Amino acid sequence: MIYVDELRWFGWHRWCHMVTDGPIDELHVFADRIGLKREWFQEKGSTHHYDLMTAMREKAVKAGAVEVSTAQLGQMLINGKVTRK
């Protein structure tokens, strides 16, 4: 399953994270389907993810990504429910 958390302000833009609870290839296939470049994939931090701005987040949700709160995503990370490094 693909998940996106809430948009937050980072500098001058609003961003969120897109993650998966399955194989990392699932995340790459989904990202490609909605028009993200593989070079935008983030391997730093606590989990593998793509950063999305507002319009791309909306596109991800329309394509089937599940919306979760930032707190829910954090809990998913703690519980090992999201694919990590």
Side-chain angles (χ1 to χ4, degrees), residues 8-48:
R8 295 172 309 286
W9 286 103
F10 291 101
W12 299 101
H13 301 284
R14 293 179 72 197
W15 295 83
C16 75
H17 299 103
M18 184 174 76
V19 300
T20 185
D21 62 358
I24 204 65
D25 287 339
E26 176 185 39
L27 184 61
H28 293 310
V29 168
F30 189 89
D32 184 57
R33 194 169 81 218
I34 64 171
L36 295 174
K37 295 180 181 179
R38 177 70 179 268
E39 63 202 46
W40 297 340
F41 177 64
Q42 301 287 311
E43 293 183 90
K44 59 186 175 189
S46 61
T47 187
H48 295 299

